[in-house]
Amino acid sequence: MLRVPSIGRFCVQLFKCNATRVFDLLPLLPRGAIEWLLDHRRYRHLRGVGLMRQLGTLALAIRGEMAPMAEIVTTALPLAGRNLNARLFVPEVDEHLALVVYFHGGGWVVGDADTHEGVCRRLALDTKMRFVSVEYRLAPEFPYPAALDDAVEAVRYVAAHLEDFAENGTPLIVMGDSAGATLATLVATALRDEVPLVAQALIYPVMGPEIVTDSKHRFGQRYFLDTEEMDWYFRQYLGPHPDATD
């Protein structure tokens, strides 16, 4: 019987020859092989947008039980020239303290409402607040500033149609993790004189590739997300805009 690492290495070798065959094979892999491949250090040299997204989708198959909700509503935000998918999470105990607009992480390249459903459910349960998870356009198909434009316009839309998501007068919070946290804080800045946000909640936000901190040196290697991979995400996100300080 093949051990999990052997299966993972077989997929890596197959990817070098035919990436499409790997995508066909991945749904058939056992849980352990998927976990092995999800360790980015194992396939860093094979990194590509398609593979990253495929592995992110497969990760859904191995997540645990999610927090129960009173209601989950999938909808679309009609913005100028496009619709953005969104998902509203209503906890069983809803104290109407605030409505949280949530932006998922994923380096602006991967992720959606599905990959972060467990996070939003848990946060809604613990905070007793409603969460609306917004999907924004992803790079490299839609480089900067597409994601930021989507995030700003999404919050503007939710604020103008608050009754579709929560009780009128409910305070509004922006929140996100990683790349989504970056969008959240930029939204708060862009709309500070227009939308009365009461808070921004940022989970390990990305502040830019030019920011070099002690922790970036100390933890830039041998962990799940390293400096090399971060640089790769920024290249996809910035596209033809090389000035990351813009």
Side-chain angles (χ1 to χ4, degrees):
M1 178 179 296
L2 285 175
R3 295 188 306 167
V4 163
S6 299
I7 299 174
R9 292 190 184 97
F10 169 76
C11 290
V12 167
Q13 293 301 318
L14 181 60
F15 185 89
K16 294 178 181 179
C17 303
N18 190 329
T20 302
R21 290 296 305 278
V22 174
F23 295 154
D24 293 339
L25 180 63
L26 286 177
L28 305 177
L29 295 180
R31 177 189 180 107
I34 295 174
E35 292 174 341
W36 190 92
L37 285 169
L38 286 173
D39 181 351
H40 79 290
R41 288 169 293 175
R42 307 283 189 176
Y43 62 86
R44 180 185 299 140
H45 60 294
L46 301 175
R47 182 182 300 120
V49 173
L51 180 60
M52 299 289 273
R53 290 176 181 168
Q54 185 77 358
L55 290 171
T57 300
L58 286 173
L60 300 178
I62 61 175
R63 67 184 175 188
E65 184 178 350
M66 295 186 290
M69 292 285 104
E71 185 178 16
I72 298 175
V73 180
T74 299
T75 185
L77 310 183
L79 306 184
R82 64 200 185 281
N83 291 328
L84 298 184
N85 293 328
R87 190 168 300 170
L88 176 66
F89 298 93
V90 181
E92 294 179 343
V93 179
D94 183 4
E95 296 187 352
H96 306 286
L97 300 173
L99 172 65
V100 182
V101 181
Y102 193 92
F103 300 105
H104 65 80
W108 309 282
V109 174
V110 300
D112 53 29
D114 289 333
T115 61
H116 285 65
E117 178 167 342
V119 173
C120 288
R121 282 176 177 242
R122 186 74 221 185
L123 289 170
L125 174 70
D126 290 346
T127 62
K128 299 179 177 62
M129 295 188 293
R130 296 186 177 201
F131 274 65
V132 56
S133 176
V134 176
E135 294 184 356
Y136 48 88
R137 289 173 292 175
L138 299 175
E141 295 88 344
F142 299 97
Y144 173 88
L148 177 57
D149 290 344
D150 287 352
V152 170
E153 293 184 37
V155 173
R156 185 181 284 133
Y157 179 89
V158 171
H161 301 84
L162 188 60
E163 68 279 2
D164 293 340
F165 304 92
E167 294 181 350
N168 276 326
T170 300
L172 201 59
I173 294 173
V174 288
M175 184 176 186
D177 65 280
S178 193
T182 305
L183 295 177
T185 194
L186 291 174
V187 166
T189 301
L191 297 180
R192 59 187 171 189
D193 297 324
E194 180 182 347
V195 176
L197 300 171
V198 297
Q200 54 176 309
L202 312 178
I203 305 174
Y204 43 84
V206 182
M207 294 293 100
E210 77 286 354
I211 298 177
V212 180
T213 62
D214 178 63
S215 64
K216 188 171 183 179
H217 285 295
R218 293 173 58 196
F219 306 113
Q221 300 294 331
R222 300 186 303 277
Y223 291 91
F224 182 77
L225 183 63
D226 63 18
T227 302
E228 179 187 348
E229 189 169 0
M230 284 295 298
D231 291 342
W232 180 85
Y233 280 120
F234 270 112
R235 288 195 300 272
Q236 311 309 306
Y237 175 56
L238 293 175
H241 304 279
D243 184 5
T245 63
D246 182 5

